[in-house]
Amino acid sequence: MLRFDRDFTFEGSEAQHRVMEEAFAVVTEEHKGRIGYYDLPEGSRTLVEAAKALETQNSLLASGAITDIAVIGIGGSSLGIKAVDSLLASRGDKTRELHFFENSDPIDITRTMAKLTKEKTLFVVISKSGGTIETTSIFKTLIAHFGLELDGADRERVFVITDAGSSLSKFGDAYGLGQFNIPDNVGGRFSVLSAVGIIPLTLAGYDTAALLAGAGSFLTSFFEGKEQHLLEKACFIYEHDREHSVNVLFSYANDLENFTKWYVQLWGESLGKVDAMGSHVGMTPVGLIGSVDQHSFLQLLIEGPKDKTVTFISIEDFGAPLVIPEISLKHIEKTDFINGKSFSTLINAQCAATRESLVRSGVPTDGIVIEQIDAASVGTMIIYYELLTSLVGAMLLVNTYDQPGVELGKVILYETFTDKG
Amino acid sequence: MLRFDRDFTFEGSEAQHRVMEEAFAVVTEEHKGRIGYYDLPEGSRTLVEAAKALETQNSLLASGAITDIAVIGIGGSSLGIKAVDSLLASRGDKTRELHFFENSDPIDITRTMAKLTKEKTLFVVISKSGGTIETTSIFKTLIAHFGLELDGADRERVFVITDAGSSLSKFGDAYGLGQFNIPDNVGGRFSVLSAVGIIPLTLAGYDTAALLAGAGSFLTSFFEGKEQHLLEKACFIYEHDREHSVNVLFSYANDLENFTKWYVQLWGESLGKVDAMGSHVGMTPVGLIGSVDQHSFLQLLIEGPKDKTVTFISIEDFGAPLVIPEISLKHIEKTDFINGKSFSTLINAQCAATRESLVRSGVPTDGIVIEQIDAASVGTMIIYYELLTSLVGAMLLVNTYDQPGVELGKVILYETFTDKG
């Protein structure tokens, strides 16, 4: 379960209610057709079953030989999977390790390849469009490095996850590989609850049914009008988008770092747009980790320009009862006041104290408390941020779901290596 | 060696020359006395020798038993060490593994402890002030977990690095532990070239003499007036600090991620200040990794508000000749144009293409090319960013070296657990 609270003032004026009603109407309309991610909590349930069925249908999985899953994908095809994997890994329900090939960084690719052996590994190639240069280049490298025989012995070892009809889909069909499709109307950065996330996460042993259920129940509650706080938060962010041009997610747990990276993509790529009036809009997303970044970014939050809003995420019960021992060391007794308390108590008190210091400095904050990390709460976090992004996008009058700005670089890259340059 | 270039326009007006001359005078004055980090490239050379001497003087090191070094520290007492370790680890000159205990996160502490055994580990406790709550709490936990006998058998296993006269220093003296001191006038975030970084990095096998030499030669060149580009960059950033309130470091290599985190602390904590006129100043530092974040933050850079400057860091020679094989896969031939090229070529072409797309969108950019990652080039990168920070701080009329904003949260935390609340 999640709990939400806030320190910023929200008047609830008539104008604000109109903004919220219009945005609610927009996302309701999106839900009815054009935008697919709203349907995933319900629609992806069959994928959980399909992934589980592979345990008997796929002879490599059935044999028990597979201990590792290599995910080849970047951006929306990796960030969400990593976010969930990082958060759930410490719970111990993982049965296989996930490894990620994302960046076109030769050192990173070489290092990740060295951790794997072909016999124990299943390869999952993920690209919505099918033509992502990092993904196809790395995939070819893995084929050569591991001697993958797509035409023969290794046909069951490689899966593709892509849009139906994409070039990667046609490739999968041509070689007879296992394939799962992403609905056309689900964008990459909104795709973690589609086959993109559900297939590898289920194969890794995670409770993806609970992940979907957690997302689904919040989604239902929202569309039933029971999550007014989310509309109000979106409205506050929208109304202050110039004044508070930096949107900070301050997460108090190392394992939340990949979640903040997923949020940065979702927020930056969805809202960083030219709006309907031709203005350049979009708040800069910044992900921080507490308590570490109290020793880094905090000074700027307190004394720098008042151009930031900060959301604090904390985990109430870490499930790791590590207690600071009752040891007093000569001359460093000053911090003995925390002796006998758990680190969970310490880190959450640090979160609360830091937040209070920001409030006193006039920085608008809000908080999300995750009572306990489990698949359902992670699913709720995902849909919460997706809905928030859609609402702010609707209010800003941008197309939340495209990314026209990234095309130019791809064209220039292509021209670099071809006659067209 | 490093190469620098830029796309932004710098007129070099008389007013700008005055700003640059004044800032140069300020840092020259700092160098003469008040601020200690300028002296580290020269002054820390004896520390390299001292750390090497430990290999024979310390019986645990001399016996060859030590394979792991646990660094207990946070913020300025860990970020710089991690940055250097990450960049140099792939070169293969490491003789011992570094492990970091930073966050008051029970899951992270438990996980890191599980990787270590007492017999093989040396513990280095780092805190400038000596009273950092994360560091002392974790240290006590390690004492209990590993049964460290500070009064007896494990006296040689624990070192402290702190200011002379601090509570941690007195603690070290009381128990007769090995100790290295940080000069009073070197701030935590400027301390990586002091004992903070030099002792653990030397013990881990890195060429810290070359690290210092790389920093020293750039520093000398700068004070000889030969690095005008650095002054001009500082001046450009200063002049546009309101218009370009976000300062992005876009680094094209996974191993640069910890360097960007070090930069975020250095920049945010040094420049996020109330200036001499009482204004809240400071540009928001954002660290990105290419090519990954082309699939995340790039859309916002291109189409969002034009409130950002972007510095691209790339590595010319990765020293990992991984080539994209000449494989053509049915239906995904579109990316075959990169076949036969190295990943090093691909990632650097992606960097150049992304930069060009930003330039065409009107975003001011500059570039730093690291010809090859080695200790000397990493040292140059460190001093380059420290000097840039000092120059911009001098121009902004802030105290670059304090961090008054972080105290309030510490007071509130203390009050939470004591009668004073």
Side-chain angles (χ1 to χ4, degrees):
Chain A
M1 289 288 291
L2 271 62
R3 297 197 307 270
F4 307 94
D5 71 312
R6 69 187 184 213
D7 285 307
F8 59 82
T9 307
F10 187 79
E11 299 81 7
S13 69
E14 261 188 61
Q16 287 172 328
H17 276 285
R18 262 199 311 280
V19 167
M20 292 190 289
E21 277 160 28
E22 280 171 26
F24 190 79
V26 168
V27 298
T28 303
E29 204 54 44
E30 289 177 357
H31 186 4
K32 282 186 192 154
R34 192 171 67 87
I35 303 304
Y37 85 82
Y38 303 102
D39 300 323
L40 295 176
E42 187 65 30
S44 288
R45 286 163 56 180
T46 55
L47 287 172
V48 177
E49 298 314 312
K52 286 185 178 166
L54 288 176
E55 298 287 349
T56 50
Q57 291 165 359
N58 181 292
S59 69
L60 296 169
L61 288 167
S63 75
I66 303 297
T67 56
D68 298 274
I69 298 169
V71 174
I72 304 109
I74 192 167
S77 299
S78 68
L79 289 167
I81 316 170
K82 288 174 81 176
V84 176
D85 182 40
S86 296
L87 278 166
L88 298 181
S90 67
R91 288 175 46 86
D93 36 10
K94 191 166 53 166
T95 53
R96 298 186 179 100
E97 281 297 323
L98 291 166
H99 305 264
F100 296 89
F101 289 95
E102 306 173 273
N103 207 351
S104 47
D105 172 333
I107 292 177
D108 186 61
I109 297 166
T110 304
R111 195 155 43 202
T112 309
M113 285 196 303
K115 292 180 187 163
L116 302 173
T117 58
K118 183 173 100 168
E119 287 62 37
K120 295 183 175 178
T121 307
L122 206 72
F123 296 85
V124 182
V125 186
I126 311 179
S127 170
K128 184 170 169 63
S129 70
T132 312
I133 192 159
E134 291 91 344
T135 305
T136 54
S137 301
I138 292 171
F139 181 35
K140 289 180 202 172
T141 305
L142 298 178
I143 289 173
H145 179 81
F146 292 107
L148 294 175
E149 298 172 39
L150 301 183
D151 278 326
D154 294 313
R155 184 170 287 158
E156 281 194 300
R157 196 178 295 283
V158 179
F159 285 84
V160 299
I161 300 177
T162 183
D163 276 10
S166 77
S167 51
L168 185 62
S169 172
K170 288 176 187 153
F171 157 80
D173 287 344
Y175 290 84
L177 304 178
Q179 176 167 164
F180 295 94
N181 293 127
I182 308 161
D184 267 7
N185 59 357
V186 173
R189 58 187 172 274
F190 287 88
S191 71
V192 58
L193 300 181
S194 76
V196 168
I198 298 302
I199 297 300
L201 289 165
T202 308
L203 291 175
Y206 293 120
D207 187 354
T208 48
L211 185 80
L212 293 170
S217 64
F218 189 87
L219 184 90
T220 302
S221 176
F222 171 76
F223 279 111
E224 285 172 351
K226 293 176 187 158
E227 305 289 348
Q228 184 68 12
H229 63 96
L230 187 62
L231 281 157
E232 292 175 356
K233 179 170 167 177
C235 186
F236 179 83
I237 291 170
Y238 154 70
E239 285 188 317
H240 299 82
D241 77 312
R242 299 291 156 129
E243 179 191 351
H244 297 136
S245 59
V246 180
N247 193 277
V248 177
L249 192 57
F250 209 149
S251 300
Y252 275 69
N254 282 21
D255 289 346
L256 278 161
E257 183 166 6
N258 280 324
F259 184 83
T260 70
K261 290 183 180 177
W262 172 82
Y263 142 81
V264 165
Q265 186 207 18
L266 181 70
W267 195 256
E269 210 167 47
S270 297
L271 304 176
K273 294 283 160 69
V274 178
D275 72 7
M277 281 74 70
S279 297
H280 297 277
V281 302
M283 294 122 293
T284 298
V286 170
L288 302 180
I289 295 298
S291 66
V292 172
D293 286 322
Q294 292 180 194
H295 302 263
S296 167
F297 203 96
L298 178 60
Q299 165 66 31
L300 177 68
L301 288 174
I302 297 273
E303 291 211 321
K306 291 286 174 280
D307 59 356
K308 305 168 193 77
T309 57
V310 184
T311 299
F312 285 86
I313 302 185
S314 57
I315 299 171
E316 193 165 65
D317 176 6
F318 275 81
L322 189 67
V323 169
I324 297 154
E326 297 274 9
I327 296 176
S328 192
L329 298 170
K330 284 177 221 166
H331 302 290
I332 48 177
E333 303 91 349
K334 209 181 95 184
T335 54
D336 285 354
F337 68 85
I338 199 73
N339 283 2
K341 302 280 193 297
S342 71
F343 275 98
S344 180
T345 300
L346 172 57
I347 196 170
N348 284 319
Q350 290 182 294
C351 178
T354 300
R355 183 171 169 188
E356 176 61 23
S357 75
L358 286 183
V359 170
R360 292 191 200 170
S361 307
V363 176
T365 77
D366 70 311
I368 303 174
V369 177
I370 308 173
E371 292 180 0
Q372 196 170 6
I373 291 288
D374 54 24
S377 62
V378 174
T380 308
M381 289 290 293
I382 287 168
I383 204 78
Y384 171 92
Y385 266 97
E386 291 179 338
L387 289 169
L388 181 67
T389 303
S390 290
L391 288 169
V392 176
M395 292 174 184
L396 285 171
L397 303 177
V398 297
N399 182 343
T400 306
Y401 308 100
D402 66 357
Q403 53 282 337
V406 305
E407 294 308 316
L408 178 56
K410 292 182 190 172
V411 171
I412 296 171
L413 181 74
Y414 181 70
E415 289 173 354
T416 307
F417 291 103
T418 59
D419 288 346
K420 310 204 169 110
Chain B
M1 289 289 289
L2 272 62
R3 297 197 308 271
F4 307 95
D5 71 313
R6 68 186 185 211
D7 286 308
F8 59 82
T9 307
F10 187 80
E11 300 81 6
S13 69
E14 261 189 61
Q16 288 170 328
H17 275 285
R18 261 199 311 280
V19 167
M20 292 190 289
E21 277 160 28
E22 280 170 26
F24 190 80
V26 169
V27 299
T28 302
E29 203 53 43
E30 288 177 357
H31 185 4
K32 283 186 192 155
R34 193 170 66 88
I35 302 304
Y37 85 82
Y38 303 101
D39 299 323
L40 296 176
E42 187 65 29
S44 288
R45 285 162 58 181
T46 54
L47 287 172
V48 177
E49 298 314 312
K52 286 185 178 166
L54 288 175
E55 298 288 349
T56 51
Q57 291 165 359
N58 181 291
S59 70
L60 297 169
L61 289 167
S63 75
I66 303 297
T67 55
D68 298 274
I69 298 169
V71 175
I72 304 110
I74 193 166
S77 299
S78 68
L79 290 167
I81 315 171
K82 287 174 83 176
V84 177
D85 182 41
S86 295
L87 277 166
L88 297 181
S90 68
R91 289 175 45 86
D93 35 10
K94 192 166 52 168
T95 53
R96 298 187 179 100
E97 282 296 323
L98 291 166
H99 305 265
F100 296 89
F101 289 95
E102 307 173 272
N103 207 350
S104 46
D105 172 335
I107 292 177
D108 186 61
I109 297 166
T110 305
R111 197 156 40 204
T112 309
M113 285 196 304
K115 292 180 189 163
L116 302 173
T117 58
K118 183 173 102 168
E119 287 61 37
K120 296 182 175 177
T121 307
L122 206 72
F123 296 84
V124 183
V125 185
I126 311 179
S127 171
K128 184 170 169 62
S129 70
T132 311
I133 191 158
E134 291 91 343
T135 305
T136 54
S137 301
I138 292 172
F139 181 36
K140 288 179 202 172
T141 305
L142 298 178
I143 289 173
H145 180 82
F146 292 107
L148 294 176
E149 298 173 39
L150 301 183
D151 279 325
D154 294 313
R155 184 169 288 159
E156 282 195 300
R157 196 178 293 284
V158 179
F159 284 84
V160 299
I161 299 177
T162 183
D163 275 11
S166 77
S167 51
L168 185 62
S169 172
K170 288 176 188 154
F171 157 79
D173 287 344
Y175 290 84
L177 305 177
Q179 176 168 165
F180 295 94
N181 293 126
I182 308 162
D184 267 7
N185 58 358
V186 172
R189 58 187 173 274
F190 288 87
S191 70
V192 58
L193 300 181
S194 76
V196 168
I198 298 303
I199 298 299
L201 289 166
T202 308
L203 291 176
Y206 293 120
D207 186 355
T208 47
L211 185 80
L212 293 170
S217 64
F218 189 86
L219 184 90
T220 301
S221 175
F222 171 76
F223 279 110
E224 285 173 351
K226 292 177 188 159
E227 305 290 347
Q228 184 67 13
H229 64 97
L230 188 63
L231 280 157
E232 292 175 357
K233 179 170 168 178
C235 186
F236 180 84
I237 291 169
Y238 154 70
E239 284 189 316
H240 300 81
D241 78 312
R242 299 291 155 129
E243 180 191 351
H244 297 136
S245 59
V246 180
N247 193 278
V248 178
L249 191 57
F250 209 150
S251 301
Y252 274 69
N254 282 21
D255 289 345
L256 278 161
E257 183 166 4
N258 280 324
F259 184 83
T260 70
K261 289 182 180 178
W262 171 82
Y263 142 81
V264 164
Q265 186 207 18
L266 181 70
W267 195 257
E269 209 167 48
S270 298
L271 304 177
K273 294 283 159 70
V274 178
D275 72 8
M277 281 74 70
S279 296
H280 297 278
V281 301
M283 293 124 291
T284 298
V286 170
L288 302 179
I289 295 297
S291 66
V292 172
D293 286 322
Q294 292 180 195
H295 301 263
S296 167
F297 203 97
L298 177 60
Q299 166 67 30
L300 177 68
L301 287 175
I302 297 273
E303 291 210 321
K306 290 287 173 278
D307 58 357
K308 304 168 194 78
T309 57
V310 183
T311 299
F312 285 86
I313 301 185
S314 57
I315 299 170
E316 193 164 66
D317 176 6
F318 275 80
L322 189 68
V323 170
I324 298 154
E326 296 274 10
I327 296 176
S328 192
L329 298 169
K330 285 177 219 166
H331 302 290
I332 48 176
E333 304 91 349
K334 210 181 94 184
T335 54
D336 285 354
F337 68 85
I338 199 73
N339 283 2
K341 301 280 194 296
S342 71
F343 275 99
S344 180
T345 300
L346 172 58
I347 196 169
N348 284 319
Q350 289 181 295
C351 178
T354 300
R355 182 172 170 188
E356 175 62 22
S357 75
L358 287 183
V359 171
R360 291 191 201 170
S361 307
V363 176
T365 78
D366 70 312
I368 302 174
V369 177
I370 307 172
E371 292 181 359
Q372 196 171 7
I373 291 288
D374 53 24
S377 62
V378 174
T380 307
M381 290 289 293
I382 288 169
I383 204 77
Y384 172 92
Y385 266 97
E386 290 180 338
L387 289 170
L388 182 67
T389 303
S390 290
L391 289 169
V392 176
M395 293 173 183
L396 286 171
L397 302 178
V398 298
N399 182 343
T400 307
Y401 307 101
D402 66 357
Q403 53 282 337
V406 305
E407 293 308 317
L408 178 57
K410 292 182 191 172
V411 171
I412 297 171
L413 181 73
Y414 181 70
E415 289 173 354
T416 307
F417 290 103
T418 58
D419 287 346
K420 304 189 176 129

